[in-house]
Amino acid sequence: MASELEPEVQAIDRGLLECSAEEIAGKWLQATDLTREVYQHLAHYVPQIYCRGPNPFPQKEDMLAQHVLLGPMEWYLCGEDPTFGFPKLEQANKPSHLCGRVFKVGEPTYSCRDCAVDPTCVLCMECFLGSIHRDHRYRMTTSGGGGFCDCGDIEAWKEGPYCQKHDLNTSENEEEEDPLVHLSEDVIARTYNIFAIMFRYAVEILTWEKENELPAELELEEQSDTYYCMLFNDEVHTYEQVIYTLQKAVNCTQKEAIGFATTVDRDGRRSVRYGDFQYCEQAKSVIVRNTSRQTKPLKVQVMHSSIVAHQNFGLKLLSWLGNVIGYSDGLRRILCQVGLQEGPDGESSSLVDRLMLSDSKLWKGARSMYHQLFMSSLLMDLKYKKLFAIRFAKNYQQLQKDFMEDDHERAVSVTALSVQFFTAPTLARMLITEENLMTTIIKTFMDHLRHRDSQGRFQFERYTALQAFKFRRVQSLILDLKYVLISKPTEWSDELREKFLEGFDAFLELLKCMQGMDPITRQVGQHIEMEPEWEAAFTLQMKLTHVISMMQDWCALDEKVLIEAYKKCLAVLMQCHGGFTDGEQPITLNICGHSVETIRYCVSQEKVSIHLPVSRLLAGLHVLLSKSEVAYKFPELLPLSELSPPMLIEHPLRCLVLCAQVHAGMWRRNGFSLVNQIYYYHNVKCRREMFDKDIIMLQTGVSMMDPNHFLMIMLSRFELYQIFSTPDYGKRFSSEITHKDVVQQNNTLIEEMLYLIIMLVGERFSPGVGQVDATDEIKREIIHQLSIKPMAHSELVKSLPEDENKETGMEGVIEAVAHFKKPGLTGRGMYELKPECAKEFNLYFYHFSRAEQSKAEEAQRKLKRQNREDTALPPPVLPPFCPLFASLVNILQSDVLLCIMRTILQWAVEHNGYAWSESMLQRVLHLIGMALQEEKQHLENAMEEHVVTFTFTQKISKPGEAPNNSPSILAMLETLQNAPYLEVHKDMIRWILKTFNAIKKIRESSSTSPVAETEGTIMEESSRDKDKAERKRKAEIARLRREKIMAQMSEMQRHFIDENKELFQQTLELDASSSAVLNSPVVSDKTLIALGPAKTQISEQRQFVTCILCQEEQEVKVEDSAMVLAAFVQRSTVLSKNRNKFIQDPEKYDPLFMHPDLSCGTHTGSCGHVMHAHCWQRYFDSVQAKEQRRQQRLRLHTSYDVENGEFLCPLCECLSNTVIPLLLPPRNIFNRLNFSDQPNLSQWIRTVSQQIKALQALRKAGSASDTASSKNVEKVNELQLPEGFRPDFQPKNPYSESIKEMLTTFGTATYKVGLKVHPNEEDPRVPIMCWGSCAYTIQSIERILSDEDKPLFGPLPCRLDDCLRSLTRFAAAHWTVVSLSVVQGHFGRLFASLVPNDSHEDLPSILDIDMFHLLVSLVLAFPTLQCQDFSGISLGTGDLHIFHLVTMAHIVQILLTSCTEENGMDQENPTGEEELAVLALYKTVHQYTGSALRGTPSGWHLWRTVKAGVMPFLKCSALFFHYLNGVPSPPDFQASGTNNFEHLCNYLSLPNNLICLFQENSEIMNSLIESWCRNNEVRRYLEGERDAISYPRESNKLIDLPEDYSSLINQASNFSCPKSGGDKSRAPTLCLVCGALLCSQSYCCQTELEGEDVGACTAHTYSCGSGAGIFLRVRECQVLFLAGKTKGCFYSPPYLDDYGETDQGLRRGNPLRLCRERFRKIQKLWHQHSVTEEIGHAQEANQTLVGIDWQHL
Ligand SMILES: [Zn+2]
Ligand SMILES: [Zn+2]
Ligand SMILES: [Zn+2]
Ligand SMILES: [Zn+2]
Ligand SMILES: [Zn+2]
Ligand SMILES: [Zn+2]
Ligand SMILES: [Zn+2]
């Protein structure tokens, strides 16, 4: 069908392209009815351009639309060619000073914590960097999209509103200037015409709801039968559901379905089928049927294609309008005018109104398009922003209602624009006074919370999921209210007062509905059946917390308003609790001759609620009054006379008693919901407007009462009245009641009650209660947090209440109370309390949780012990109360409290007969201490002759009255001082008695200061003890350190101790002994030589190792059973110079020659732990069996993949996938001692060449022998075998069966992992992979040592040393388990790459061979030849000649590739021997390359280049021969800084002047050099046709990261998904290895890998890191490690804030800076191939990591 349509479509396109925009515009200019003319044009052309087939063609549509539809409008508007017209407009424009940049998703935004009026004021990165705020305290976040830069908005910033860029355009009275003056009358008129028509058209068509019919003006005569089945998004159905349904309904592939679903999710709708009506209708019904089972069905519409076409054009038009107004502020103003002009239907009929009001009916794409247009037009024009704000406020209620019905997230709702008006102070105030906005918002909110109980309170009890959903949406109204209140008025007009108070009334109505909501009754007998709903009420409370605080802040600003609000609040409280007696019986209480009337009410029996927002608001206002000037000067003017103190305290007291009873375990049967409520009541998020205010309310009430009366009421509410009012009740009580629970309960209640009294008198740190300011309050919070333990910045922030600007005020005071300690390589920076602040510690600080209190107590006592002080924690000296609260101190000396204290002390004295507790006593002691401190303060501050009425000391000296006749409190304290059972409190009692005496002295001596005297003596005393103390302290520290080390050690060994106690010690011994053996070289005086005939002979030491599994010790021997090391083999690209290269077809891949780019290496690592082979086998089998059972049962992943042979080392849990056998140096076993004359290099090459030739002939003959045997056998015999060569000789394998088996096991594992193929021990490539892994691992370690500037044979970590030794020896012994001829064949080819041989062609040129790999392979393959050679050539000779040959080849390689054309200065007279030699060699090479080698560098330069280039090779060779032959390294190598060239040459048996090698063997070398240089590839390279690696290769590093994290965010926000056409990526992720940015964790970028869908990161690791990857998730600021498809972990990022903390998830938003040490640590993990191991450890430590779908990242 498509092909038939094609010509037709093309014809249409041709026709369209023939249209002339100029002509059409001309016609429009003449038209009498322009609207009709334009509509006709659109009606005719739009359906021809848009929606002509099943799929949109955006580029083509855009092109045609521009040509046919938009072009004419632009011509019309400009009155000339728009390519000239628009630039003219732009030039005439005076652009606004607002930045207004609309944020993309993920773009970084900045807010200044010092200058932003509120946290919603943000800057774009460009403006921020050009502003003064970059040097202030700022916060950085990533935008969720929407919103714009506030640069230039003078209301948004207290200071520096303009950045450099936007400052340029400010002129003084800009606001008055009408932007239209820059436009000509004509342009204005035409713009107005065309904007009016087009804007109306767009609005009309986008809000059009009919599916089959166009507006009359757009209807065409003939209508085709072409429809779309349009699918809309909702928030109910998941991606998977939609994809699944679509595949069924429209018969598409999964890929197409994913495409549809992605577009629907992004744009809000997508046509999924195109065709006639029937065809589309059918798809619709399938979709509806399939998605309607559990939820409401997906929204689908069958729409006529012409409607869709017009709507698409409508969207295009909106974005066009947005672009056009960008040319000129005048055009923008015209558009605003057009938009807000009232339509024919009066109020709310402007185009803007119409769009807003249909917002919830529009699809996502349409919404965001017009929101963006509003932002770039209405919100950028200050005059119209105001008018728009009014329209918004007028429609507010309706918009919110629509939003409530809608299911889209708020970000795509027009209601989200509220932040743009409400946070602008003048707009907000205007809306409050003119549109009564506060009241509107609150009323709208109330309207949506309809469920009330009989008393009109909110009810959330039977609250459904739908209600919960709506409740969540309703909360955005609270946010709006917060916006309105966030900037406080600087001056009040009468209107503002009036409207604010009106709003306050509405707010009180709201609080009234909350006062007493969710009441609870204590459950007795049975446990509660169903946990009651509590979260909704608390959510409401929590969300309102800031609003309540802000209401108070507003009131505080104006005395009139404050007093009015106070009255209103009080009136509402009276309404709520006017008849608070509620029919409860009045009773009279009597203690100590005091009596009070109250009601009978028991918290444990009646209803009680934790929600008391009205009382708490009143408490807040009361404190404000107390702070105000009136309270000091004319307290009588305050409306205090109406207060009834008993009523004020009643409900808060009930609430606190409830908490006490819950704590005492009396409410256990009420379940967890109550426990949670109590928790939140005290939690830092809520306490400011809950618990704190209840305390204040009690303080308020009590300050107006007789303290004795209050205490009696309190005793009664705590249900403790009986105990304290009846003498001897206590005794009777404890003896009669045997029920232990009840005793316990009462004790707890008494403790809680005493605690409450301590709080009422002691909590004076709210400004208004005590004479303090806000900084004192915050200081005190911090001091108490840090008294528990040192804390990181973020921890501290979390424990402090935040204000509406998310500020805690901490920065201002922290320096005064704490020291900052910087973090190390791990961990965080910490704040520690300054020692001098410890005296302000209050054990009964009211914000401590119980756990915190006991931790703090312990920490503070410990500190005091360390300082050799007594351990008493006396109450701190407190600031004085404000006048309104001053009478509170009298509680301390009230008769009832003295009676309570006396009673408890009495119990303690007669400690056996009573039920009392130490905590009770401790609290009484604290109270006494407080009273003494108070009295002392009073005395010290008392004016002369002023009578101090606080006489606590006198009162406690008096004995109790009849009938008790108990001793005085003082006397009892003296008794208790010596009580053996009160050891802990002795110091406190002593402190009390001392203070008592001090006060007595003050009272006695009229005005001298005896206090100072006593303090003086104490000081003297302490200085005398100082030395002793210091010594003791040091001893203590040492002891602690020992303990810590022991603890760490036992933790480390925990796993193993569990298994076997003995083992623990033995393992330690093993570690110690083995490292001792390894690090003590057999020292000899002469030079040590690692290889060749002159190799230093060493007597091999016997090696004993202990199996970590069975604990038996064994000697490593050739014929004994094998000992193995746990090992981990992995592919690696760490050294790769070409990340695009990877093994395409592993079955055919030939690994014999490693390319110098070192791509596709195989690395072997080991933790160095030794096992018997059979013990390991048994262990592995059991792991395997266990794992299989577990997988069947739980279907869980583990951190290791058993099916792939992975296991964890049984000792250290290090990830492993095979084992390496431990061997003795293999060369010693095969070396035959026949030291006849050894051949020189050319002789040797000749001999070896002959031997190879013979073998080749034999093989040829052998393969032919299958057909005609006898004949060939003869031929073989005819062959001239070199002298002493016996190819039929088969050497005997010296190794035990067990060792042989392990040789095969490790070889096969290396082959399997390295090539990613199925294991096949017969494959000829197995030995090659083993040699390769040996070479690659040595190279990677050499790199690490060089990068870190470490000596070559310095103290390597034990595990590395063990690993390299066994790996090298293994690789050297591996040939014994492989067919000789296979290895001989490899040797032949390897050898031929340097010494040409006719039968080996297409070998790589020397440019394409890594010489170290070649060396290792040749040396390790050589024994297969040598073992059949009885001519007397030793292995050592072979090694030496191979080494020399390869070294020379490498030097030629370096000369060819690494000589730059740089001309040395002393080119003319090369002086040194080396320089002359190398120059000669260079000339030779030059000659053989046919003079293609460019330039004639100096000898000095050449020699330097060669030396530098060959160095890594020599170092690797030294390591290799060291481990192969066991010759100890010369001591010179062991110290750093001595990677000395001469030493290296000596050790390797090389001449110091390397070039001598060539001279000594010039006979053969010249021909070899010639053959190397004549190679075709070499020629191509020299002619510049190809590239080659040059030497020395540079180390690979992780990419450079920017210093400032936000530039990374910015980079990532500009990154769009490569697969979904310019869409922003949701999880942009940076590969730290190669710098690629990927679109991670998203459907769009999933690809198939080995038959499975994987995310972009996993796919990337396969090419970039051959399976392992290191990424940075930019939005989360998190490092991601991946290995394979199933493994991964997160790692802490290398970015820290100023407080030395990372910010994973970017939640705090502090500026982040690169920490180089931490980044280097990550790089080191990568270099050491430890990423996989790190993942293993992380997954073992945190099982949840195992469950993550890493492959989809
Ligand atoms: Zn900006
Ligand atoms: Zn700016
Ligand atoms: Zn600032
Ligand atoms: Zn064992
Ligand atoms: Zn281990
Ligand atoms: Zn990469
Ligand atoms: Zn993508």
Side-chain angles (χ1 to χ4, degrees), residues 99 101 124 127 149 151 166:
C99 169
R101 179 192 168 91
C124 67
C127 289
C149 175
C151 181
H166 295 107

Side-chain angles (χ1 to χ4, degrees), residues 1108 1126 1166-1171 1208-1216 1359:
I1108 59 166
S1166 167
C1167 63
H1169 290 132
V1170 186
M1171 296 166 272
L1208 300 181
C1209 164
L1211 186 61
C1212 68
E1213 297 201 325
C1214 184
L1215 185 69
S1216 312
R1359 54 182 278 190

